[in-house]
Amino acid sequence: WEFQGNPVKPIAIMLAWDGNRLISQEASNLLRVWVNGAEHLGLLIFDMMTDPEYQGLGILTETAKALYKCLADKGYEFVYGFPNANAVQVRIKKLGWDIICPTPIHIRPIDVGPFIKNKTRSTFLGTLASKISRPLLKLTQNLIPKQGNDIEICRMAKFGKWADELWLKCRDQHKFWVIRDFKYLSW
């Protein structure tokens, strides 16, 4: 579904083979992106890998370049992603990427038991920490003042016309984001 169901075409995966052995891949989703008030076509790179026996030979770089060229020829304008510490160096040094902003990572603990179990290597302490932390963390969440008590939150089975209306109202709140209209949300 992730590739075949994408409303933006074509499928954007580049594979490198050594005979009948798959040795590298660069996978992305093609997306319509809202940038400074206008729609653009971009690639979100989210999965790249090279067979460990073929690492360090430049195969991943060549695979990525082939994908970028193919999609540039079809009208796609840019590539973006959130590479890990190893991949970011390849992206910058060999593929011409720039870091435009550091990616913030937000976290909210919901159970500290697994962390305690891992650090102490004690199942007993982990279980005890879970039993104590879950209610305490839930209590701290309930201390945050609620706003808009008249707002109804409901589960929807599918998206309707309202999805496009909401997107149009919200799209200019950010300078860069994926277009989240009916077509995208229904994918």
Side-chain angles (χ1 to χ4, degrees), residues 76-144:
Y76 289 85
E77 302 171 56
F78 59 89
V79 177
Y80 73 102
F82 308 93
N84 65 32
N86 295 329
V88 75
Q89 295 309 312
V90 171
R91 300 283 184 210
I92 291 169
K93 292 177 183 174
K94 298 185 179 179
L95 295 169
W97 283 44
D98 290 315
I99 297 175
I100 59 172
C101 64
T103 304
I105 297 177
H106 304 273
I107 186 169
R108 182 194 182 281
I110 56 175
D111 181 357
V112 298
F115 174 78
I116 297 297
K117 178 182 175 184
N118 186 358
K119 289 297 180 187
T120 63
R121 303 198 188 290
S122 167
T123 301
F124 172 75
L125 289 176
T127 303
L128 183 61
S130 286
K131 288 182 180 184
I132 296 169
S133 70
R134 285 183 177 187
L136 285 175
L137 291 167
K138 188 173 183 178
L139 177 64
T140 61
Q141 178 182 351
N142 292 336
L143 294 176
I144 300 170

Side-chain angles (χ1 to χ4, degrees), residues 15 23 43 60 62-63 81 83 102 107 127 131 134 143 159-161 182-183 187:
L15 304 174
I23 59 171
L43 296 88
L60 183 63
E62 293 307 311
T63 304
I107 186 169
T127 303
K131 288 182 180 184
R134 285 183 177 187
L143 294 176
F159 297 98
K161 175 177 118 172
F182 174 82
K183 193 186 307 186
W187 163 36

Side-chain angles (χ1 to χ4, degrees), residues 19-88:
N20 63 357
R21 182 176 177 179
L22 177 61
I23 59 171
S24 184
Q25 72 144 25
E26 177 91 356
S28 68
N29 271 327
L30 304 177
L31 299 168
R32 295 175 305 131
V33 183
W34 195 252
V35 182
N36 292 324
E39 183 173 325
H40 297 269
L41 293 172
L43 296 88
L44 170 60
I45 299 294
F46 62 88
D47 200 4
M48 57 184 253
M49 64 185 86
T50 299
D51 183 318
E53 292 180 30
Y54 290 80
Q55 290 177 351
L57 302 175
I59 295 168
L60 183 63
T61 300
E62 293 307 311
T63 304
K65 286 179 182 177
L67 178 64
Y68 301 172
K69 182 186 179 326
C70 174
L71 292 166
D73 291 346
K74 295 180 185 321
Y76 289 85
E77 302 171 56
F78 59 89
V79 177
Y80 73 102
F82 308 93
N84 65 32
N86 295 329
V88 75

Side-chain angles (χ1 to χ4, degrees), residues 161-179:
K161 175 177 118 172
W162 52 265
D164 284 339
E165 293 168 359
L166 180 61
W167 166 250
L168 291 174
K169 287 180 184 177
C170 297
R171 70 182 182 182
D172 292 317
Q173 293 177 356
H174 303 285
K175 292 181 180 183
F176 181 103
W177 61 340
V178 173
I179 294 174

